[in-house]
Amino acid sequence: MAELATLWIVRHGESTANVAATHAEASGAELIDLPHRDADVPLSATGEDQARATGRWLAELPDAKRPDVAVVSPYLRAVQTSRLALAGTDIPVHRDERLRDRELGILDGLTGHGVRRRYPDEADRRERLGKFYYRPPGGESWTDVALRLRTLLGDLRRDHEGCRVLLFGHDALVFLLRYLVEGLTEDELMALTRQDVIANCSITEWSADSEDRLALTAFNHVEHLRQQGAQPTREDEIHAEPV
C-alpha cells in the first residue's frame, strides 16, 4: 500500500467546552452549561494562545519537513486552531467531516454524574460492553469513529502518497489513529486511554521508516507549547467521557 512520508495529528486548543466541563464535573452538576451545539464550540483565550504557539512551532520546521497539506475537522474549535496555527503559510487546507469528534447522542452535554442519574441503564450497558464497542443512543461507538478514520487514511495514502500530512482533530481521534496506524488491539488501545490524556494542541507524529511503514515518533507532545510560551492544559483529566 502507498504510504505517507509523515502524518501528524494536532488536537484542537483548549475550548470553552473543556473549561465548562471541568467546572461541571468538579461541582457535581449533571449538565455542562454550554450555549452552543458541539460543532460550534469555540476556543478559549488559552486555546487561541496554544494554537498560535503551535503555529510558531510549524514555522520553525525546515522546509523539507513542513506539511504538504492540512486536513481539518469541520468543528469550530479545530477550524480555529488550524487557522491560527497555519496563518501566514501557503499550506493547502481541506475540511473533512470524518475528522469530527465522536458523537455522543442522548449523552451529549451530560457529565458522568448526569449520565448515571438520568440514564442509569446506559451507564450499566456501557460498563458491560466496554468503551470500545458501546454506542450511546443516537451517537457513535469508538469502532464507528475508527471506521470513518480508516476510510480517511485510505484516501490520504492514495491522494498524498509520499507527502507530509497534518491533521487537526479531537482527542479520541488521536487514540484511534494509533489503533489504526500501529495495528493495536482493543486491549492495547484501552490501556492507552487509561494511561494518557490527550492534551490540547498536543502533537502526535508518525514517520515512514526504512521499510516505508509509518512508525510513531511523537505522542501527545506538548513541549512546543512551553517552548513557545503557551500553557498546556489538562482539563480532560477530570472530564474524559460522560460515562
Side-chain angles (χ1 to χ4, degrees):
M1 178 184 291
E3 194 52 90
L4 305 172
T6 308
L7 177 67
W8 297 272
I9 183 167
V10 173
R11 186 192 176 195
H12 62 79
E14 181 192 67
S15 72
T16 57
N18 293 147
V19 177
T22 297
H23 293 162
E25 292 284 0
S27 68
E30 294 184 15
L31 286 171
I32 302 167
D33 184 17
L34 287 173
H36 311 285
R37 62 176 185 161
D38 192 28
D40 299 327
V41 169
L43 293 179
S44 67
T46 296
E48 292 177 354
D49 287 343
Q50 292 168 339
R52 292 188 187 97
T54 302
R56 293 192 291 274
W57 163 76
L58 279 169
E60 291 179 356
L61 290 176
D63 289 344
K65 293 188 177 181
R66 289 185 185 178
D68 296 303
V69 64
V71 187
V72 183
S73 161
Y75 281 21
L76 181 59
R77 54 194 179 272
V79 171
Q80 290 179 327
T81 302
S82 68
R83 284 177 178 165
L84 291 169
L86 299 175
T89 75
D90 59 358
I91 297 170
V93 178
H94 307 283
R95 296 187 193 181
D96 196 302
E97 74 284 347
R98 290 172 291 184
L99 281 173
R100 71 188 185 277
D101 208 352
R102 177 179 167 232
E103 296 176 3
L104 296 177
I106 64 170
L107 307 185
D108 186 39
L110 294 177
T111 63
H113 174 64
V115 172
R116 290 186 289 273
R117 286 291 302 274
R118 300 185 182 202
Y119 298 106
D121 290 346
E122 287 302 313
D124 290 343
R125 190 165 73 90
R126 192 243 190 203
E127 181 67 24
R128 177 171 59 84
L129 294 177
K131 186 178 199 174
F132 193 55
Y133 289 108
Y134 170 70
R135 180 187 295 118
E140 294 179 296
S141 66
W142 279 55
T143 52
D144 292 328
V145 181
L147 284 173
R148 53 177 160 92
L149 282 180
R150 193 183 295 277
T151 67
L152 174 64
L153 276 174
D155 287 352
L156 293 175
R157 285 167 164 149
R158 181 195 65 212
D159 297 338
H160 303 287
E161 180 181 359
C163 293
R164 298 176 297 275
V165 177
L166 172 61
L167 309 178
F168 288 89
H170 308 271
D171 56 347
L173 306 189
V174 179
F175 286 122
L176 284 167
L177 279 173
R178 288 206 59 182
Y179 167 76
L180 293 171
V181 172
E182 300 166 41
L184 302 182
T185 65
E186 176 191 356
D187 287 344
E188 290 168 336
L189 173 62
M190 292 299 102
L192 278 180
T193 68
R194 291 190 294 270
Q195 295 164 7
D196 295 284
V197 175
I198 306 301
N200 295 117
C201 270
S202 63
I203 299 167
T204 297
E205 175 185 350
W206 299 263
S207 295
D209 60 18
S210 60
E211 299 181 357
D212 200 31
R213 295 179 301 189
L214 286 178
L216 185 71
T217 50
F219 174 55
N220 202 22
H221 180 77
V222 293
E223 188 57 33
H224 65 290
L225 297 181
R226 298 187 181 94
Q227 291 173 351
Q228 300 296 337
Q231 179 62 45
T233 49
R234 304 295 289 184
E235 277 92 356
D236 286 346
E237 287 183 350
I238 297 175
H239 180 70
E241 284 203 13
V243 239

PDB file of all heavy atoms in Angstrom, residues 103-121:
ATOM      1  N   GLU A 103     -19.627  11.478  18.259  1.00  0.00           N
ATOM      2  CA  GLU A 103     -20.965  11.946  18.579  1.00  0.00           C
ATOM      3  C   GLU A 103     -21.526  11.132  19.743  1.00  0.00           C
ATOM      4  O   GLU A 103     -21.490   9.896  19.727  1.00  0.00           O
ATOM      5  CB  GLU A 103     -21.868  11.825  17.343  1.00  0.00           C
ATOM      6  CG  GLU A 103     -21.396  12.735  16.200  1.00  0.00           C
ATOM      7  CD  GLU A 103     -22.213  12.565  14.935  1.00  0.00           C
ATOM      8  OE1 GLU A 103     -23.186  11.778  14.942  1.00  0.00           O
ATOM      9  OE2 GLU A 103     -21.877  13.223  13.937  1.00  0.00           O
ATOM     10  N   LEU A 104     -22.063  11.833  20.749  1.00  0.00           N
ATOM     11  CA  LEU A 104     -22.479  11.182  21.985  1.00  0.00           C
ATOM     12  C   LEU A 104     -23.986  10.976  22.091  1.00  0.00           C
ATOM     13  O   LEU A 104     -24.468  10.422  23.082  1.00  0.00           O
ATOM     14  CB  LEU A 104     -21.992  12.002  23.190  1.00  0.00           C
ATOM     15  CG  LEU A 104     -20.479  12.090  23.327  1.00  0.00           C
ATOM     16  CD1 LEU A 104     -20.103  12.988  24.503  1.00  0.00           C
ATOM     17  CD2 LEU A 104     -19.859  10.710  23.505  1.00  0.00           C
ATOM     18  N   GLY A 105     -24.763  11.399  21.090  1.00  0.00           N
ATOM     19  CA  GLY A 105     -26.193  11.134  21.097  1.00  0.00           C
ATOM     20  C   GLY A 105     -26.893  11.713  22.305  1.00  0.00           C
ATOM     21  O   GLY A 105     -26.684  12.872  22.668  1.00  0.00           O
ATOM     22  N   ILE A 106     -27.712  10.892  22.972  1.00  0.00           N
ATOM     23  CA  ILE A 106     -28.506  11.393  24.101  1.00  0.00           C
ATOM     24  C   ILE A 106     -27.644  11.776  25.298  1.00  0.00           C
ATOM     25  O   ILE A 106     -28.131  12.450  26.218  1.00  0.00           O
ATOM     26  CB  ILE A 106     -29.574  10.367  24.548  1.00  0.00           C
ATOM     27  CG1 ILE A 106     -28.906   9.084  25.085  1.00  0.00           C
ATOM     28  CG2 ILE A 106     -30.529  10.058  23.418  1.00  0.00           C
ATOM     29  CD1 ILE A 106     -29.894   8.147  25.769  1.00  0.00           C
ATOM     30  N   LEU A 107     -26.370  11.384  25.296  1.00  0.00           N
ATOM     31  CA  LEU A 107     -25.496  11.717  26.423  1.00  0.00           C
ATOM     32  C   LEU A 107     -24.786  13.051  26.224  1.00  0.00           C
ATOM     33  O   LEU A 107     -24.082  13.517  27.123  1.00  0.00           O
ATOM     34  CB  LEU A 107     -24.448  10.615  26.624  1.00  0.00           C
ATOM     35  CG  LEU A 107     -24.977   9.186  26.756  1.00  0.00           C
ATOM     36  CD1 LEU A 107     -23.846   8.229  27.081  1.00  0.00           C
ATOM     37  CD2 LEU A 107     -26.095   9.094  27.792  1.00  0.00           C
ATOM     38  N   ASP A 108     -24.995  13.672  25.086  1.00  0.00           N
ATOM     39  CA  ASP A 108     -24.326  14.938  24.791  1.00  0.00           C
ATOM     40  C   ASP A 108     -24.698  15.992  25.830  1.00  0.00           C
ATOM     41  O   ASP A 108     -25.881  16.185  26.152  1.00  0.00           O
ATOM     42  CB  ASP A 108     -24.734  15.415  23.395  1.00  0.00           C
ATOM     43  CG  ASP A 108     -23.967  16.643  22.958  1.00  0.00           C
ATOM     44  OD1 ASP A 108     -22.763  16.718  23.239  1.00  0.00           O
ATOM     45  OD2 ASP A 108     -24.577  17.519  22.322  1.00  0.00           O
ATOM     46  N   GLY A 109     -23.691  16.663  26.360  1.00  0.00           N
ATOM     47  CA  GLY A 109     -23.916  17.728  27.331  1.00  0.00           C
ATOM     48  C   GLY A 109     -24.058  17.277  28.762  1.00  0.00           C
ATOM     49  O   GLY A 109     -24.252  18.105  29.661  1.00  0.00           O
ATOM     50  N   LEU A 110     -23.965  15.977  29.014  1.00  0.00           N
ATOM     51  CA  LEU A 110     -24.081  15.463  30.378  1.00  0.00           C
ATOM     52  C   LEU A 110     -22.706  15.167  30.967  1.00  0.00           C
ATOM     53  O   LEU A 110     -21.789  14.748  30.262  1.00  0.00           O
ATOM     54  CB  LEU A 110     -24.906  14.174  30.392  1.00  0.00           C
ATOM     55  CG  LEU A 110     -26.383  14.286  30.006  1.00  0.00           C
ATOM     56  CD1 LEU A 110     -27.016  12.897  30.002  1.00  0.00           C
ATOM     57  CD2 LEU A 110     -27.139  15.217  30.944  1.00  0.00           C
ATOM     58  N   THR A 111     -22.577  15.365  32.267  1.00  0.00           N
ATOM     59  CA  THR A 111     -21.389  14.919  32.985  1.00  0.00           C
ATOM     60  C   THR A 111     -21.528  13.429  33.288  1.00  0.00           C
ATOM     61  O   THR A 111     -22.593  12.825  33.077  1.00  0.00           O
ATOM     62  CB  THR A 111     -21.240  15.680  34.303  1.00  0.00           C
ATOM     63  OG1 THR A 111     -22.385  15.378  35.137  1.00  0.00           O
ATOM     64  CG2 THR A 111     -21.165  17.188  34.079  1.00  0.00           C
ATOM     65  N   GLY A 112     -20.470  12.832  33.790  1.00  0.00           N
ATOM     66  CA  GLY A 112     -20.562  11.442  34.216  1.00  0.00           C
ATOM     67  C   GLY A 112     -21.644  11.247  35.261  1.00  0.00           C
ATOM     68  O   GLY A 112     -22.410  10.278  35.219  1.00  0.00           O
ATOM     69  N   HIS A 113     -21.725  12.189  36.223  1.00  0.00           N
ATOM     70  CA  HIS A 113     -22.765  12.138  37.252  1.00  0.00           C
ATOM     71  C   HIS A 113     -24.144  12.242  36.612  1.00  0.00           C
ATOM     72  O   HIS A 113     -25.079  11.527  36.992  1.00  0.00           O
ATOM     73  CB  HIS A 113     -22.541  13.273  38.251  1.00  0.00           C
ATOM     74  CG  HIS A 113     -23.623  13.410  39.278  1.00  0.00           C
ATOM     75  ND1 HIS A 113     -23.887  12.436  40.210  1.00  0.00           N
ATOM     76  CD2 HIS A 113     -24.523  14.423  39.504  1.00  0.00           C
ATOM     77  CE1 HIS A 113     -24.893  12.827  40.985  1.00  0.00           C
ATOM     78  NE2 HIS A 113     -25.292  14.020  40.574  1.00  0.00           N
ATOM     79  N   GLY A 114     -24.280  13.132  35.617  1.00  0.00           N
ATOM     80  CA  GLY A 114     -25.560  13.306  34.962  1.00  0.00           C
ATOM     81  C   GLY A 114     -26.021  12.060  34.233  1.00  0.00           C
ATOM     82  O   GLY A 114     -27.210  11.714  34.258  1.00  0.00           O
ATOM     83  N   VAL A 115     -25.107  11.363  33.589  1.00  0.00           N
ATOM     84  CA  VAL A 115     -25.473  10.125  32.897  1.00  0.00           C
ATOM     85  C   VAL A 115     -25.945   9.087  33.903  1.00  0.00           C
ATOM     86  O   VAL A 115     -26.973   8.428  33.694  1.00  0.00           O
ATOM     87  CB  VAL A 115     -24.288   9.580  32.084  1.00  0.00           C
ATOM     88  CG1 VAL A 115     -24.605   8.196  31.537  1.00  0.00           C
ATOM     89  CG2 VAL A 115     -23.940  10.533  30.946  1.00  0.00           C
ATOM     90  N   ARG A 116     -25.223   8.939  34.994  1.00  0.00           N
ATOM     91  CA  ARG A 116     -25.605   7.934  35.988  1.00  0.00           C
ATOM     92  C   ARG A 116     -26.946   8.256  36.631  1.00  0.00           C
ATOM     93  O   ARG A 116     -27.710   7.342  36.964  1.00  0.00           O
ATOM     94  CB  ARG A 116     -24.500   7.801  37.033  1.00  0.00           C
ATOM     95  CG  ARG A 116     -23.233   7.134  36.497  1.00  0.00           C
ATOM     96  CD  ARG A 116     -22.222   6.889  37.587  1.00  0.00           C
ATOM     97  NE  ARG A 116     -21.608   8.126  38.057  1.00  0.00           N
ATOM     98  CZ  ARG A 116     -20.533   8.691  37.513  1.00  0.00           C
ATOM     99  NH1 ARG A 116     -19.960   8.133  36.447  1.00  0.00           N
ATOM    100  NH2 ARG A 116     -20.029   9.817  37.997  1.00  0.00           N
ATOM    101  N   ARG A 117     -27.269   9.544  36.797  1.00  0.00           N
ATOM    102  CA  ARG A 117     -28.547   9.943  37.384  1.00  0.00           C
ATOM    103  C   ARG A 117     -29.688   9.811  36.383  1.00  0.00           C
ATOM    104  O   ARG A 117     -30.779   9.338  36.733  1.00  0.00           O
ATOM    105  CB  ARG A 117     -28.460  11.399  37.878  1.00  0.00           C
ATOM    106  CG  ARG A 117     -27.663  11.601  39.156  1.00  0.00           C
ATOM    107  CD  ARG A 117     -28.393  11.001  40.362  1.00  0.00           C
ATOM    108  NE  ARG A 117     -29.719  11.582  40.536  1.00  0.00           N
ATOM    109  CZ  ARG A 117     -29.974  12.709  41.221  1.00  0.00           C
ATOM    110  NH1 ARG A 117     -28.969  13.363  41.790  1.00  0.00           N
ATOM    111  NH2 ARG A 117     -31.206  13.161  41.343  1.00  0.00           N
ATOM    112  N   ARG A 118     -29.482  10.240  35.143  1.00  0.00           N
ATOM    113  CA  ARG A 118     -30.562  10.320  34.166  1.00  0.00           C
ATOM    114  C   ARG A 118     -30.708   9.062  33.310  1.00  0.00           C
ATOM    115  O   ARG A 118     -31.799   8.755  32.849  1.00  0.00           O
ATOM    116  CB  ARG A 118     -30.357  11.538  33.266  1.00  0.00           C
ATOM    117  CG  ARG A 118     -30.349  12.848  34.047  1.00  0.00           C
ATOM    118  CD  ARG A 118     -30.272  14.051  33.136  1.00  0.00           C
ATOM    119  NE  ARG A 118     -30.214  15.297  33.898  1.00  0.00           N
ATOM    120  CZ  ARG A 118     -30.545  16.488  33.428  1.00  0.00           C
ATOM    121  NH1 ARG A 118     -30.937  16.597  32.161  1.00  0.00           N
ATOM    122  NH2 ARG A 118     -30.466  17.559  34.184  1.00  0.00           N
ATOM    123  N   TYR A 119     -29.599   8.373  33.078  1.00  0.00           N
ATOM    124  CA  TYR A 119     -29.621   7.182  32.225  1.00  0.00           C
ATOM    125  C   TYR A 119     -28.835   6.052  32.880  1.00  0.00           C
ATOM    126  O   TYR A 119     -27.832   5.567  32.330  1.00  0.00           O
ATOM    127  CB  TYR A 119     -29.029   7.495  30.847  1.00  0.00           C
ATOM    128  CG  TYR A 119     -29.775   8.546  30.069  1.00  0.00           C
ATOM    129  CD1 TYR A 119     -29.243   9.833  29.920  1.00  0.00           C
ATOM    130  CD2 TYR A 119     -31.002   8.262  29.470  1.00  0.00           C
ATOM    131  CE1 TYR A 119     -29.920  10.806  29.201  1.00  0.00           C
ATOM    132  CE2 TYR A 119     -31.694   9.225  28.743  1.00  0.00           C
ATOM    133  CZ  TYR A 119     -31.146  10.491  28.615  1.00  0.00           C
ATOM    134  OH  TYR A 119     -31.818  11.448  27.902  1.00  0.00           O
ATOM    135  N   PRO A 120     -29.291   5.582  34.034  1.00  0.00           N
ATOM    136  CA  PRO A 120     -28.523   4.524  34.715  1.00  0.00           C
ATOM    137  C   PRO A 120     -28.404   3.251  33.894  1.00  0.00           C
ATOM    138  O   PRO A 120     -27.385   2.566  33.966  1.00  0.00           O
ATOM    139  CB  PRO A 120     -29.325   4.288  36.010  1.00  0.00           C
ATOM    140  CG  PRO A 120     -30.699   4.819  35.717  1.00  0.00           C
ATOM    141  CD  PRO A 120     -30.490   5.972  34.794  1.00  0.00           C
ATOM    142  N   ASP A 121     -29.430   2.935  33.082  1.00  0.00           N
ATOM    143  CA  ASP A 121     -29.351   1.731  32.254  1.00  0.00           C
ATOM    144  C   ASP A 121     -28.242   1.861  31.206  1.00  0.00           C
ATOM    145  O   ASP A 121     -27.569   0.878  30.881  1.00  0.00           O
ATOM    146  CB  ASP A 121     -30.679   1.464  31.553  1.00  0.00           C
ATOM    147  CG  ASP A 121     -31.767   1.012  32.520  1.00  0.00           C
ATOM    148  OD1 ASP A 121     -31.418   0.663  33.667  1.00  0.00           O
ATOM    149  OD2 ASP A 121     -32.949   1.024  32.127  1.00  0.00           O
TER     150      ASP A 121
END
